[in-house]
Amino acid sequence: MTQNIFCIGRNYEKHIKELHNQRSDKPVVFSKPTHALAAADGQSIALPSGQGAVHYETELVIKMGRDFEPEMQVDDLVDEMAIGLDLTLRDVQQKLKENGHPWLLAKGFPQSAIISDFFSFPGVEQCNEKTFSLLLNGIKVQEGCIRDMIFDLDEQIRYIASHFGLKAGDIIFTGTPAGVGPLSDGDQLVFLWDDTEVGSCIIVLR
Ligand code: ZN
């Protein structure tokens, strides 16, 4: 069962550029309530309307298989992974940023963390050789590889553990590559790990 949902922002250079953000010298961390979770198991998922654009951010999600201990490596700590969407009310987030307010209103709404089934984590080395991607109505709109991360999985885990604690069942959305964009009512989403479909859903936005 998922305990805490941590998310890393601004972790891929090209995504930072597309949103005209600044690169940070430390991981940018935020979290979502557990009510944000929604399974990409083929179901229709309702999202907020009337608050501006809802953007998809496709991310590799890791799950802690055991409580953090400093001497352990990523491959010892992480037991499963998934592909997920860190959904973002982009217009709301822009206003929050301008006012220096936390992002929770833009990032923490119900069903804002859509996630495929978890599957066995193959290890960092193998993840470095594979891609994760999102098909939007059959067209690949995002493709990423964790090799391109600014802060790698080990740095993320250590940073989160030192500031917030990190235990078995906690999950981390590890940041989105470039290509984020708005969702529309009826959009069909398919999550791919390499070329294998690992989840899907249909967006309801009215
Ligand atoms: Zn994100």
Side-chain angles (χ1 to χ4, degrees), residues 8 30 57 59 86 107 176:
I8 304 290
F30 56 97
E57 295 188 357
E59 312 197 1
D86 160 23
K107 293 279 198 180
T176 192

Side-chain angles (χ1 to χ4, degrees), residues 55-160:
H55 271 200
Y56 53 80
E57 295 188 357
T58 315
E59 312 197 1
L60 190 136
V61 183
I62 53 174
K63 184 164 78 58
M64 299 291 289
R66 49 203 305 180
D67 296 355
F68 176 79
E69 287 183 45
E71 65 277 12
M72 284 187 171
Q73 304 300 309
V74 175
D75 290 358
D76 304 319
L77 291 164
V78 174
D79 65 344
E80 292 185 312
M81 62 169 283
I83 309 301
L85 296 182
D86 160 23
L87 294 179
T88 306
L89 285 162
R90 192 68 73 199
D91 300 316
V92 173
Q93 186 194 31
Q94 189 53 40
K95 286 216 176 69
L96 293 169
K97 277 189 198 166
E98 286 164 14
N99 292 322
H101 291 164
W103 296 355
L104 186 58
L105 278 174
K107 293 279 198 180
F109 55 89
Q111 328 230 63
S112 61
I114 300 179
I115 207 162
S116 76
D117 278 344
F118 279 91
F119 49 94
S120 182
F121 182 68
V124 172
E125 212 166 299
Q126 277 216 45
C127 285
N128 279 334
E129 303 301 320
K130 294 188 182 233
T131 60
F132 58 96
S133 45
L134 177 69
L135 302 183
L136 172 61
N137 301 322
I139 294 162
K140 193 176 279 188
V141 288
Q142 279 195 286
E143 183 173 69
C145 174
I146 66 166
R147 233 184 2 234
D148 299 325
M149 286 176 165
I150 295 169
F151 300 102
D152 66 18
L153 298 182
D154 184 68
E155 291 172 290
Q156 295 175 34
I157 285 173
R158 286 177 195 285
Y159 190 82
I160 291 170

Side-chain angles (χ1 to χ4, degrees), residues 17-72:
K17 292 213 171 96
E18 74 180 344
L19 291 187
H20 308 292
N21 283 324
Q22 297 300 316
R23 188 171 166 157
S24 169
D25 59 357
K26 296 206 174 72
V28 175
V29 184
F30 56 97
S31 75
K32 293 181 186 250
T34 49
H35 305 309
L37 288 172
D41 58 1
Q43 69 171 330
S44 295
I45 296 179
L47 299 176
S49 56
Q51 295 185 66
V54 183
H55 271 200
Y56 53 80
E57 295 188 357
T58 315
E59 312 197 1
L60 190 136
V61 183
I62 53 174
K63 184 164 78 58
M64 299 291 289
R66 49 203 305 180
D67 296 355
F68 176 79
E69 287 183 45
E71 65 277 12
M72 284 187 171

